[in-house]
Amino acid sequence: MEKKILIVEDEKDIARMLEYNLKKEGYRVAAVHDGAAAPALAAKELPGLILLDLMLPGLDGLEVCRRVKTDPRTAAIPIIMLTAKGEESDKLVGLGVGADDYITKPFSVKELLARVKAVLRRAVPAAEVREVYRAGNLELDCARVLALVKGKPADLTAREFELLKALMAAGGKVLSRETLLERAWAMDAAMEIETRTVDVHIGTLRKKIGAEGRRIVTVKNYGYRFEPENK
Ligand code: CA
């Protein structure tokens, strides 16, 4: 199966070169140019591997690495650090930051692809981080990004899926619109989206999951919660 790779690199020429060559090899690619957005994006995309530059605006590569490796949703994702000469790269792997490998710039494409292949081969299969939520006739399979109603897939958009996941994961607790924006849209985008966008997506989500849609309860002037119990 093809694997998705997340590139975190602020030098756009390098990011583009990586993206081009990885796509040519059949990988799917997502890219982000600053460190601050990287941990949330990793949790959302659940890539098979992260290529992580060390010197980044926002959060530096070490801090991104630490956050990804301490978040249970992303801890199993292998990381290859991209470092410049003289950055004592060997210590990154040894120091317990949790990087799986590193490669020193400038590197050849051939070398990079070989490292990527080797790290992916060693990686824990994604099936082992599988997470499933159930309520009544509704089942949410996070590893397969699938919502099932009475065993049949509901045709949710990515946002609707993330909204439902956030609500079900909260176990009946009320979530504000702002929190839902943060969880279902990438964190960095949250500020530019109006909170009523959440209402629109909740509306379509409710319709798509049929009778189970009544479990999504509106909390007036605040947000939503998911009712896990059958009443
Ligand atoms: Ca950099």
Side-chain angles (χ1 to χ4, degrees), residues 133-139 168 212 215 226-230:
Y133 298 101
R134 286 191 186 86
N137 291 318
L138 183 62
E139 183 180 322
M168 291 185 84
E212 301 296 341
R215 290 180 185 276
F226 185 88
E227 176 52 62
E229 305 298 331
N230 291 321

Side-chain angles (χ1 to χ4, degrees), residues 14-156:
I14 295 178
R16 265 196 294 271
M17 181 275 285
L18 289 170
E19 189 168 345
Y20 172 79
N21 285 287
L22 289 167
K23 278 186 174 163
K24 221 169 77 180
E25 288 295 300
Y27 299 106
R28 284 178 299 148
V29 175
V32 62
H33 303 302
D34 83 300
L41 193 62
K44 196 166 159 300
E45 301 274 339
L46 294 178
L49 171 73
I50 300 173
L51 289 175
L52 177 59
D53 185 31
L54 185 59
M55 300 297 284
L56 286 167
L59 285 181
D60 71 22
L62 286 184
E63 187 51 32
V64 172
C65 186
R66 205 170 280 128
R67 292 193 189 184
V68 167
K69 290 294 183 179
T70 51
D71 182 335
R73 294 172 298 175
T74 53
I77 301 172
I79 294 179
I80 300 179
M81 301 285 302
L82 307 176
T83 70
K85 256 196 189 126
E87 284 179 331
E88 300 198 74
S89 317
D90 48 335
K91 287 188 183 162
L92 290 173
V93 179
L95 273 176
V97 188
D100 296 79
D101 200 356
Y102 68 91
I103 188 162
T104 309
K105 294 175 189 173
F107 47 78
S108 75
V109 170
K110 206 174 148 194
E111 185 188 1
L112 176 93
L113 292 174
R115 297 286 188 93
V116 165
K117 250 183 216 157
V119 169
L120 283 174
R121 213 169 28 233
R122 293 200 303 261
V124 182
E128 289 179 27
V129 292
R130 177 189 199 97
E131 206 180 342
V132 176
Y133 298 101
R134 286 191 186 86
N137 291 318
L138 183 62
E139 183 180 322
L140 202 67
D141 183 334
C142 301
R144 292 192 295 157
V145 196
L146 206 56
L148 301 164
V149 180
K150 292 185 181 168
K152 289 201 185 102
D155 187 23
L156 303 189

